[in-house]
Amino acid sequence: MTVLACSVDGVFQDPAYSLPFARALQYGDGLFETIAVISSQPLFWQQHLHRLSQGAAVLGIAVPDVATLLAHWQELLEGSPLIATSRRLVLKILLFRRDGQGYATPRESTGQIVFLLQDWPTRSKTYWQEGICAGLSTVPLQCGAPYLALKSLNRLNQIMARRALPEGWQEALLCDQQGYLREGIQSNVLWRRGDTLYTPDLHDGGIRGIQRDAILRQAEGWGLAVQTVRETPTALAEAEEILFCNSLIGFWPVQRWQDRSLPGAAGSLAQRLAAWHRELGLFPEAT
């Protein structure tokens, strides 16, 4: 299928350049990574690129090698003076499938890479310094296939869950269609009970976050046991701490879960994570 002409908001674009974008818009046919850039350094760079490559392999999209992606980043770094003057920025890497006709795609497709540099999002410091309010979402997470565990461009499930977020909540936890815990709208969830840190199994739905894995490794280094589990929300009734995490927020401790009070930022794990995230540059600066 050949694109003969393309315009965006009335401005004509190169049809050859627009084709991958058209596929992405129509079918969500691609992947993305969101990376925190701290003092010009992409945080957990290798882990993000590894996840991008793994997802691309599932979709059958060829992704440039690590050296090529690093060269793209260096070009962006050298060509944007904003990077050198900003302590924290957000890098988004988008991978689009270049070719295909409707739902039909080649067995192996070439990919197009786009790097987007964005401002750091503004959020209330109390989310870190005190904690957030959260609870269970009324919107189920679609699960049941390996591709539903990829960071794909189709995020309608998360958009609809965000639209249903109750007023006063900063995050909500989605269950799958069978009622098992999965993930937050924009984050992964972890909870501590005693000396064990738990997180849901995400093998066929939900995103295995880079920050989630980093926290689990750090917790093991502190002597906590780590368990990936398939549990219903009743498992949270005995949780001593509940945390949400992603690559930009680092982590948010929960101080109010549904109608239950929790220690929030005063929790023992939250305090250790806060100290570590200050070192990483993710924790908000005091004012």
Side-chain angles (χ1 to χ4, degrees):
M1 186 179 296
T2 303
V3 176
L4 301 177
C6 174
S7 71
V8 178
D9 290 336
V11 179
F12 277 91
Q13 306 292 329
D14 181 353
Y17 186 68
S18 71
L19 182 57
F21 288 95
R23 284 202 61 82
L25 289 170
Q26 292 179 73
Y27 309 118
D29 192 4
L31 301 165
F32 74 100
E33 290 289 328
T34 304
I35 305 175
V37 179
I38 309 297
S39 300
S40 300
Q41 297 299 315
L43 200 58
F44 300 116
W45 172 258
Q46 295 292 341
Q47 292 90 334
H48 280 285
L49 297 191
H50 179 67
R51 183 172 65 180
L52 181 68
S53 296
Q54 285 185 315
V58 174
L59 296 183
I61 303 176
V63 61
D65 59 30
V66 172
T68 300
L69 293 174
L70 180 60
H72 289 340
W73 167 246
Q74 291 297 331
E75 291 171 2
L76 191 65
L77 191 65
E78 295 167 4
S80 176
L82 181 65
I83 299 177
T85 59
S86 300
R87 182 171 179 271
R88 297 194 294 186
L89 292 167
V90 178
L91 172 64
K92 277 210 168 182
I93 302 178
L94 307 177
L95 174 66
F96 305 141
R97 191 188 307 272
R98 280 186 181 272
D99 42 12
Q101 183 168 342
Y103 296 136
T105 60
R107 182 171 295 275
E108 292 296 331
S109 303
T110 56
Q112 181 173 52
I113 286 283
V114 175
F115 279 34
L116 297 176
L117 198 61
Q118 301 172 323
D119 291 336
W120 193 262
T122 300
R123 298 183 174 103
S124 172
K125 292 182 174 64
T126 61
Y127 299 167
W128 291 267
Q129 296 167 349
E130 298 176 13
I132 66 167
C133 298
L136 292 173
S137 176
T138 58
V139 177
L141 184 71
Q142 299 300 307
C143 298
Y147 66 85
L148 293 173
L150 302 183
K151 207 166 176 66
S152 78
L153 298 178
N154 187 338
R155 313 310 293 166
L156 278 177
N157 202 163
Q158 288 71 26
I159 288 171
M160 298 311 295
R162 182 63 181 83
R163 288 176 62 85
L165 189 69
E167 185 176 357
W169 288 12
Q170 285 74 51
E171 183 57 297
L173 178 53
L174 280 66
C175 295
D176 60 24
Q177 299 96 318
Q178 285 73 48
Y180 291 102
L181 300 171
R182 290 288 182 157
E183 64 178 3
I185 298 171
Q186 60 177 337
S187 62
N188 291 123
V189 66
L190 308 100
W191 64 95
R192 182 186 65 81
R193 189 172 70 236
D195 293 328
T196 302
L197 186 60
Y198 300 88
T199 194
D201 176 21
L202 302 174
H203 78 280
D204 64 349
I207 306 302
R208 181 174 169 177
I210 301 301
Q211 186 61 227
R212 166 189 181 265
D213 287 354
I215 289 175
L216 293 178
R217 290 193 300 269
Q218 195 74 8
E220 286 183 315
W222 291 332
L224 272 69
V226 168
Q227 289 191 23
T228 302
V229 296
R230 185 167 168 80
E231 294 278 6
T232 64
T234 57
L236 299 177
E238 298 179 359
E240 296 171 49
E241 292 182 78
I242 300 175
L243 313 167
F244 288 94
C245 65
N246 72 23
S247 290
L248 297 188
I249 68 173
F251 81 99
W252 284 342
V254 175
Q255 66 172 344
R256 189 74 177 174
W257 174 256
Q258 308 259 104
D259 295 326
R260 180 185 168 208
S261 294
L262 287 167
S268 60
L269 178 58
Q271 290 181 5
R272 300 186 80 168
L273 287 175
W276 175 48
H277 280 187
R278 284 189 180 93
E279 296 175 3
L280 293 177
L282 288 174
F283 206 82
E285 299 88 349
T287 55

